[in-house]
Each structure stands twice: as C-alpha cells, then as structure tokens.
Amino acid sequence: MTRPYLGNPKNTIEVLQKYGFVFQKRFGQNFLIDTHVLEKIIHASEITKDDFVLEIGPGIGTMTQYLAEAAGQVAAVEIDSALIPILKDTLKDWDNVTVIHGDILKTDIQKLAREKNQGRPIKVVANLPYYITTPIIMGLFESHVPVASITVMVQKEVADRMQTGPGSKDYGALSLAVQYYARPEIVANVPPNCFMPRPKVGSAVICLRKHEAPPVQVEDEKLMFRLIRASFNQRRKTLVNSLKNSAELSYSKDQIEKCMEKCGFSMTVRGEALTLKQFADLANAFSSLESISGKE
Ligand code: SAM
C-alpha cells in the first residue's frame, strides 16, 4: 500500500498543478505542507485501528492519508466541489476512507456516527477552516454527538482562549464553554510557513478530550451559558451591572444581588474573575430563585 506522500511542498504543488486547483479564500484553505506537524497531530489524537475518525475539510487529502493509515475508518467532509476529484485520486490506495461532499455545519454527524460507528464515540481530527472554528466545535459539543476527542488546528489566539482560566485577558465565554465539555491541551504551535498558502496568523494544535461527566453540577445549562455570555459581553463592568443590562436575562438588581450573596461573591466582582464552578453555583442560585417565584 502507498504510504502518505503529501504534506511536503513538492508533492502538494504537483497535485495542485495536475488539477489546476485555485485556492478559495472564502473556504479558509491553507493546506499543510509539513510532515512533522502531521505526525504530531496523529500522535496527539491517539488514534488506533479501533477508531472511526471524522475529518473536517480534507483539502487535497494530506492529513486524510495519515488518518487512513492510523484509523479503522475515516469519513472526510469537504465543501469545495473542486477538491472531490482530487481526493478520489490522492486517496485511491486506501479503502477505509469515505469522502462526503458537503458543508460540515449542515452534516448530520449524529447519523454518521450511528451508521458508521454504531453510535460509539468518534474522534474528530481537522486542520479547521478558521472562519467557522467556533460554530464547528460548539456544534459538536452542544448537539451531544458521541465524541471522544477533538484534535484540531486552530488560530493560535483561539487555542489560547480555549485553554485559559480567570485572570487572563484571553479568558471568556469560549474558555468556559470548551472547559465545561472537555479538557483542552495545546499540543503544538505551528508557524505560517507550515501551510500553503501561508496564513497571516500563527496556528496551534489543540486536543479537546471530552469529559466523561461535566466537571460541575448545573441544573440549567442554558441559563449558565446565558449568564456567562452576559458577563463577558460587558467584561469591564461589574457582574451585577452586566447581568442587569443583558437582553438575554430579566432579573432585577435585587434578585441578582441576592443570588450573588448566596454564592458568597463580592458585589463589586467582575464576571471575568469567576471560575466555571462559580458560574455553575450562580446559575443554580438563579434556578432556585425561579422555582421559588414560579418565574419561567
Ligand atoms: N486538511 C487539509 C490540510 O490540512 O491540508 C485542508 C485544511 S484547510 C485549512 C480547510 C479545509 O476545509 C479546506 O479544504 C476547505 O475547502 C474545507 N472547508 C471549508 N469550509 C468547510 C465547510 N463548511 N464544510 C466542510 N469543509 C469545509
């Protein structure tokens, strides 16, 4: 069987020229041309022959070849129709890969996992199109698709935001959302010269290992995320003011202060200082308020 042969500039250019491929900026196309980075991604994702892997945006199939070598089965979803005949060619030596032409944001991943992996947790691996990083990751978590881990190349700044905690300027709603569902670990920083064409920003590979059970107990997840969004929408304001001013919430100042007091928070605290556990406590305090007053 052919070994992975893309992932270096020479072979990549050869394939691109053979098909007269033109890069589409609107699809966030920056193809990997560094075998060390590819090997790091495969290593970090801990894929074995027992795994079903979903790849988002295979491009010309560079990482798909590595995934096909390591995994039992691979499904790769690609939006750009110009890449489909190329993938047919570059992946012809691997019989465990299915290429799906479509938009990942409109793909029924739940169905894919059910049909191809009997509903068992899948692993997601991708060099993501950066313009839709957050909707892809949050979509995977919130839709409760059975996922064991997500190992992805993202913008460096976004990787930092996912991994950080209170006290950092990067801490925000994305950090809390990701950490509620998974344990993030940045496994590599990747400079622009590892891609063709070169992106304007630095990149990083982050591995998100899904928690078996959420790290905090919260009665109403949606309410907790509304509180988090409200706190970071106006991150320089005090928590009381951010929550009072939020269009997504309708609590009085009195109710907010009562809940904060119940959690032992100072009335001058800002949302950006709170941990995930503290947001969960706050959401639970508001939930008990609602059940007392009968408020929807
Ligand atoms: N995996 C390849 C590599 O590492 O060389 C390509 C990565 S490139 C950063 C992102 C890929 O995602 C492109 O092939 C692009 O066409 C594809 N893509 C962009 N938006 C997509 C979407 N909504 N659904 C599926 N694929 C998408």
Side-chain angles (χ1 to χ4, degrees):
M1 186 179 260
T2 321
R3 299 284 131 203
Y5 60 90
L6 293 167
N8 68 61
K10 183 178 162 283
N11 293 359
T12 299
I13 289 168
E14 226 169 79
V15 169
L16 297 177
Q17 283 180 347
K18 178 173 170 191
Y19 286 90
F21 179 75
V22 180
F23 285 99
Q24 300 281 337
K25 223 174 166 182
R26 70 193 161 114
F27 289 145
Q29 293 176 338
N30 301 96
F31 297 167
L32 266 168
I33 49 163
D34 187 300
T35 51
H36 293 116
V37 174
L38 285 153
E39 279 156 15
K40 261 189 201 165
I41 295 173
I42 301 298
H43 179 75
S45 58
E46 296 171 336
I47 294 168
T48 70
K49 283 285 167 196
D50 288 335
D51 288 317
F52 173 83
V53 174
L54 168 66
E55 187 191 7
I56 299 163
I60 59 169
T62 306
M63 191 153 71
T64 327
Q65 294 184 342
Y66 283 80
L67 293 171
E69 284 290 304
Q73 288 289 323
V74 180
V77 179
E78 175 55 60
I79 199 169
D80 187 350
S81 56
L83 289 166
I84 305 302
I86 303 182
L87 288 163
K88 210 168 255 175
D89 182 4
T90 59
L91 300 174
K92 63 177 182 300
D93 292 329
W94 288 270
D95 59 7
N96 57 346
V97 181
T98 312
V99 173
I100 300 166
H101 179 209
D103 180 345
I104 192 64
L105 296 177
K106 294 185 187 145
T107 303
D108 189 343
I109 303 170
Q110 196 100 36
K111 188 167 160 225
L112 202 65
R114 209 171 41 240
E115 288 176 358
K116 300 255 184 194
N117 204 36
Q118 295 78 48
R120 283 178 286 130
I122 63 170
K123 288 185 178 166
V124 178
V125 183
N127 169 15
L128 285 180
Y130 294 171
Y131 73 107
I132 44 170
T133 298
T134 306
I136 290 175
I137 292 178
M138 292 321 297
L140 283 167
F141 286 142
E142 284 167 0
S143 63
H144 296 284
V145 171
V147 168
S149 65
I150 303 176
T151 307
V152 280
M153 178 86 70
V154 297
Q155 216 173 305
K156 167 85 176 84
E157 187 199 315
V158 176
D160 289 340
R161 272 168 34 209
M162 288 185 200
Q163 195 181 243
T164 199
S168 150
K169 67 167 178 32
D170 294 326
Y171 185 56
L174 182 65
S175 329
L176 286 154
V178 163
Q179 290 166 32
Y180 178 66
Y181 293 107
R183 186 166 52 82
E185 185 192 359
I186 294 178
V187 292
N189 287 319
V190 184
N193 63 4
C194 295
F195 302 87
M196 183 184 295
R198 291 180 185 194
K200 289 199 178 72
V201 292
S203 303
V205 179
I206 189 162
C207 186
L208 310 173
R209 294 185 184 90
K210 186 102 181 273
H211 296 306
E212 301 251 325
V216 293
Q217 297 304 315
V218 60
E219 259 172 65
D220 183 344
E221 263 178 31
K222 289 203 170 102
L223 171 61
M224 179 176 76
F225 285 115
R226 286 209 301 275
L227 294 170
I228 290 173
R229 277 195 298 274
S231 305
F232 288 96
N233 271 346
Q234 297 186 306
R235 63 185 295 151
R236 304 311 297 163
K237 289 217 154 85
T238 62
L239 182 63
V240 183
N241 284 334
S242 310
L243 299 186
K244 199 162 63 61
N245 295 343
S246 166
E248 280 193 273
L249 301 164
S250 55
Y251 298 113
S252 66
K253 189 171 182 210
D254 198 45
Q255 287 174 312
I256 296 168
E257 286 180 348
K258 207 162 146 192
C259 290
M260 286 176 60
E261 201 175 280
K262 189 171 173 189
C263 297
F265 300 163
S266 146
M267 291 306 140
T268 57
V269 76
R270 288 184 183 142
E272 64 182 6
L274 301 190
T275 62
L276 178 60
K277 166 80 171 62
Q278 287 173 315
F279 274 112
D281 289 347
L282 189 62
N284 289 338
F286 278 112
S287 291
S288 61
L289 193 75
E290 282 169 15
S291 58
I292 293 165
S293 69
K295 183 173 171 285
E296 262 298 285

